Amino acid sequence: MTRTGEELKSMAIQIRRDILRMVHTVNSGHPGGSLGCVEYFVALYGKLMEYKIPFQMEGKDEDLFFLSNGHISPVYYSTLARFGFFPVEELNTFRRINSRLQGHPTTHEGLPGVRIASGSLGQGLSVALGAALGKKLDQDRYLVYSLHGDGELQEGQVWEAFMYAAHNKIDNIISTVDYNNRQIDGNVKDVLSLGDLEAKLNSFGWKVLVEKNGNDLDSVIGILEKAKQETGKGVPVSVLLHTEMGYGVDYMMGTHTWHGKAPNQEQFERALAQLELDEVSDY
């Protein structure tokens, strides 16, 4: 189903409403990074990726996505539901016992759209590279996309994977970094600075694209389309996407404190009031 730009922007607002509802209902979850990454997910599933529904785990002849920073599962689940992978009403089971929608994505319950368990940070790029190599072996022309937190790049395994990708010329992958400069314990630069990340990734042999407006849907679509044009040229591609944690809710922005904290009733209502839609379809 092809959606207009305005429909996708309305979808982004609806997904933000879903995120807030999920974490508020169970008083648990990670709203900050989820809210900040909405435009990326809407661009990916609404414009960039070619994927199949019903979901097929093997992923042949379609684009694949791997979420490495799995704690932002609310935005992942809402996106999958809103784009038809499973019923929207299932979002009501988020983080409940025996739910398919656990705090970090899992695979043992068979949730459509999820190919790996994630949330143990630093592992997603390795898995995505394996999938990309598999596509090359199968002569599958489709791409692999992955998403990573900036704080997650403090994990050593990520840098091994960066080296491996360039050395093996894995050029059918687009790995995006959610560059919001915040993590659970504070600002990334204060916890463990990444330095000049663009220069580092360039020195590791990656093609690096930077988008400063990571919460503008048109800009995100544009940078991902540019990234797609850079695939197939013998080097892996990365997008540094500058976003704002908690975007769309005024009191959640500009701070790391909403990385993993749910809003109370008053805060929840205040947040929803900032995310108005002509046609709300809350579950």
Side-chain angles (χ1 to χ4, degrees), residues 125-162:
L125 183 56
S126 300
V127 177
L129 291 174
L133 282 173
K135 284 192 174 295
K136 282 182 170 291
L137 288 171
D138 289 339
Q139 298 184 327
D140 184 333
R141 68 172 181 83
Y142 290 86
L143 299 176
V144 175
Y145 295 84
S146 64
L147 179 65
H148 312 265
D150 48 4
E152 180 187 5
L153 302 192
Q154 295 160 352
E155 296 280 357
Q157 181 175 339
V158 180
W159 294 93
E160 296 178 56
F162 283 141

Side-chain angles (χ1 to χ4, degrees), residues 138-253:
D138 289 339
Q139 298 184 327
D140 184 333
R141 68 172 181 83
Y142 290 86
L143 299 176
V144 175
Y145 295 84
S146 64
L147 179 65
H148 312 265
D150 48 4
E152 180 187 5
L153 302 192
Q154 295 160 352
E155 296 280 357
Q157 181 175 339
V158 180
W159 294 93
E160 296 178 56
F162 283 141
M163 287 191 294
Y164 184 88
H167 177 79
N168 289 281
K169 297 180 172 57
I170 305 176
D171 58 359
N172 57 338
I173 188 167
I174 300 173
S175 294
T176 297
V177 177
D178 174 25
Y179 212 173
N180 60 31
N181 295 296
R182 296 186 175 89
Q183 59 190 106
I184 192 168
D185 290 325
N187 294 325
V188 172
K189 65 180 179 63
D190 298 325
V191 177
L192 186 61
S193 176
L194 298 175
D196 189 336
L197 184 57
E198 181 181 0
K200 286 181 178 179
L201 290 179
N202 274 319
S203 72
F204 269 62
W206 283 62
K207 174 67 178 181
V208 184
L209 303 178
V210 179
E211 177 52 63
K212 296 288 188 179
N213 299 313
N215 293 117
D216 176 79
L217 183 58
D218 292 333
S219 297
V220 177
I221 291 172
I223 197 69
L224 289 175
E225 287 178 337
K226 288 180 182 178
K228 191 172 182 179
Q229 293 170 8
E230 294 295 334
T231 60
K233 297 181 179 180
V235 296
V237 181
S238 178
V239 174
L240 303 185
L241 192 67
H242 289 262
T243 67
E244 179 62 54
M245 184 175 281
Y247 188 83
V249 180
D250 58 3
Y251 62 85
M252 291 188 179
M253 297 167 63

